[in-house]
Amino acid sequence: QVHLKESGGGSVQAGDSLRLSCATSGYRYSSYVLAWFRQVPGKEREGVATIDVDGSTKYADSVKGRFTISRDNAKNDLYLQMNSLKPEDTAMYYCAADTDVRSLSEYDSPLSALEYNYWGQGTQVTVSS
């Protein structure tokens, strides 16, 4: 199995930045699509950004130009750099893996939560106005 653990969340003011990290392990000799999602209580889980084995990315419209997803092959880590944070970015942020897919070109909806089969426990991001 793939294990994922998020870190880096916290409470910040609007306009500030945060960098989330996700440590992944379990499939040493394989690679797969990774993504960030977020969820507010009572609402559907929302895809934020995703990245495939070759580094291709896709972002939700709400975060384009502000967030950057990246991965470190040596450390096997996933990152989300969040700049110009807004109160509406407040949510629990989850990292996720789809071990069945290598390329975003295989998806019709790469930011759909239904595509991913492994999830971290989440890290809270709170942005105050």
Side-chain angles (χ1 to χ4, degrees), residues 24-37:
T24 68
S25 63
Y27 285 180
R28 186 171 183 175
Y29 302 108
S30 64
S31 55
Y32 36 79
V33 170
L34 295 168
W36 288 98
F37 289 79

Side-chain angles (χ1 to χ4, degrees), residues 10-73:
S11 297
V12 299
Q13 296 293 115
D16 286 351
S17 297
L18 279 175
R19 182 175 173 86
L20 304 184
S21 299
C22 176
T24 68
S25 63
Y27 285 180
R28 186 171 183 175
Y29 302 108
S30 64
S31 55
Y32 36 79
V33 170
L34 295 168
W36 288 98
F37 289 79
R38 64 188 183 186
Q39 189 168 25
V40 176
K43 299 191 67 176
E44 296 290 328
R45 190 167 297 180
E46 176 189 18
V48 175
T50 186
I51 184 168
D52 71 10
V53 171
D54 294 325
S56 296
T57 60
K58 184 175 177 60
Y59 296 89
D61 289 343
S62 60
V63 306
K64 286 181 179 178
R66 299 189 298 120
F67 291 9
T68 302
I69 188 171
S70 61
R71 61 196 298 169
D72 187 314
N73 293 330

